Amino acid sequence: MHDECFAAYCALSRGALKGNRIITIGDSFGSNLMLSACLRLRDGGMGLPAAIICISPYVDMAASGASYEYNGRADPLYGLPKSQSYAQYASAVRRISPYCGDTPKTQPLLSPAYGNFRGFSDMFVSCGGLETSASDSHMLVSRARQSGVRVQFHEYGGMWHDFAYMFPRLKESKAAWRHMQLFVDDILSR
């Protein structure tokens, strides 16, 4: 999947979108694929998108953050049922995929949250405060800022993974889309 995402971006930037400013957006694991492609673009000396938007990013395949436990029952999409103990079913909440194979789970091209984002374009990151993977967003934002990237971060209290997509009429969802639109407008006005 990583190779296909990278190849698709390269083809678009050389072809139909050549010369245009591209803003990439990914949600959940799509953020992982997008950021991995951007790391490869930068390391290969290729042009990066004008901006990067990550919604509810799932970018730590090691699932090392504390939110996997403290939101282990709160996220209606990925939380545990009350009848299951966290200790017994932690691997289900952490969603560590067999997709990782033998690759170290902290390898940045597999888990971009561990990457160095030096030279990256402005980023927009949003998540729900109840997401099991909320820690991924915090880790990504921290690493990006440490790398000198301008990051706009929004965490919406009481919301879950991909809430803005699933329930766009909620006031929090409307706020999330408005914040993203303002970010895009700012990028395109430069």
Side-chain angles (χ1 to χ4, degrees):
M1 284 192 283
H2 284 88
D3 289 341
E4 288 83 358
C5 187
F6 176 73
Y9 182 88
C10 290
L12 285 170
S13 65
R14 284 191 308 262
L17 299 177
K18 184 177 183 178
N20 291 317
R21 294 191 314 162
I22 300 170
I23 296 175
T24 59
I25 183 169
D27 74 298
S28 193
F29 189 67
S31 293
N32 183 307
L33 296 172
M34 176 185 61
L35 290 168
S36 175
C38 289
L39 287 167
R40 289 174 68 180
L41 289 166
R42 189 228 22 228
D43 293 348
M46 301 168 72
L48 287 166
I52 299 166
I53 299 173
C54 300
I55 300 170
S56 294
Y58 182 49
V59 292
D60 175 14
M61 297 304 283
S64 64
S67 65
Y68 287 92
E69 185 167 359
Y70 67 71
N71 283 340
R73 295 192 191 286
D75 188 335
L77 208 57
Y78 291 111
L80 288 171
K82 290 183 180 182
S83 62
Q84 295 179 345
S85 73
Y86 180 80
Q88 188 175 1
Y89 294 99
S91 63
V93 171
R94 290 189 179 274
R95 300 185 288 153
I96 297 173
S97 173
Y99 158 83
C100 298
D102 294 330
T103 303
K105 291 173 186 62
T106 58
Q107 204 282 349
L109 293 178
L110 180 67
S111 293
Y114 295 91
N116 177 330
F117 299 102
R118 114 194 105 61
F120 265 48
S121 309
D122 289 4
M123 294 173 68
F124 177 97
V125 179
S126 71
C127 70
L130 297 181
E131 291 189 35
T132 55
S133 57
S135 300
D136 290 30
S137 293
H138 291 271
M139 190 174 175
L140 173 61
V141 168
S142 176
R143 296 285 297 209
R145 287 180 175 158
Q146 288 170 8
S147 299
V149 177
R150 289 180 14 174
V151 180
Q152 192 176 124
F153 177 52
H154 297 274
E155 183 173 21
Y156 301 91
M159 294 292 104
W160 54 91
H161 192 78
D162 269 347
F163 70 94
Y165 284 124
M166 288 189 267
F167 298 97
R169 293 181 187 219
L170 293 173
K171 68 178 181 187
E172 293 86 355
S173 298
K174 290 177 182 177
W177 289 111
R178 189 170 47 256
H179 291 142
M180 194 182 330
Q181 181 63 53
L182 290 170
F183 174 80
V184 170
D185 289 346
D186 178 55
I187 296 297
L188 295 178
S189 70
R190 295 180 194 173

